[in-house]
Amino acid sequence: MKVRITEYLEIDLDKELWTCQRCGQALIGARENYKKGCLVAERPANEVHQPLVEDQSYSFCPDPEFCRIIEFYCPQCGVMIENEYLPPGHPLTHEIELDVDRLKIKFGV
C-alpha cells in the first residue's frame, strides 16, 4: 500500500520505501532521509533569482556567500521533489520523519 506524503513523494508501506509519486521509482528506505535517495543539484542563487538592480551592491538577490540553493530530483523521471535554501556548509535538512510502524497499524499493513 502506498500513502501520499507530499505532492511528489509517497511511502510504500509494504516495502518500507520512499517512492516518487509521479513515476513510482523507489528512492530509499522509509526510515531514512528521502533526500539521500534523490539526485542533488546545487544552483547559484543569482541563476535562480535574477538581480533586480544591476551594478549595485544590493540587488535583491540572495548573497551566494550566505545562501546556497539545493534541489532534489527523482533519479528516474527527473521531477523536482524538493528544494531548500541553506547557508554554505550546512548539512541537508531532514524535515520529514515518519513513524512507519504507526502508519502500518493505521492503514492495516
Side-chain angles (χ1 to χ4, degrees):
M1 169 183 236
K2 290 186 176 182
V3 177
R4 192 172 192 167
I5 304 298
T6 70
E7 183 175 0
Y8 295 110
L9 279 176
E10 58 189 10
I11 186 171
D12 184 328
L13 290 175
D14 297 316
K15 298 177 183 175
E16 292 193 15
L17 290 172
W18 284 107
T19 61
C20 173
Q21 195 278 330
R22 179 185 262 185
C23 72
Q25 171 70 30
L27 299 175
I28 196 166
R31 297 177 193 272
E32 298 184 56
N33 187 350
Y34 70 89
K35 294 176 182 173
K36 293 179 179 177
C38 296
L39 294 178
V40 180
E42 181 175 344
R43 294 181 61 193
N46 61 357
E47 181 181 303
V48 176
H49 301 281
Q50 299 290 319
L52 298 177
V53 180
E54 295 294 331
D55 301 325
Q56 299 287 324
S57 60
Y58 189 70
S59 66
F60 300 97
C61 176
D63 187 334
E65 296 292 321
F66 297 100
C67 179
R68 62 185 181 135
I69 299 171
I70 309 297
E71 298 173 336
F72 301 92
Y73 295 93
C74 171
Q76 176 75 23
C77 68
V79 70
M80 183 190 295
I81 294 174
E82 180 63 274
N83 63 63
E84 59 189 11
Y85 290 61
L86 297 173
H90 192 283
L92 299 179
T93 60
H94 188 174
E95 82 276 15
I96 301 176
E97 187 169 345
L98 302 174
D99 187 340
V100 176
D101 297 324
R102 298 276 294 176
L103 281 174
K104 287 176 129 179
I105 291 169
K106 178 179 179 180
F107 290 101
V109 176

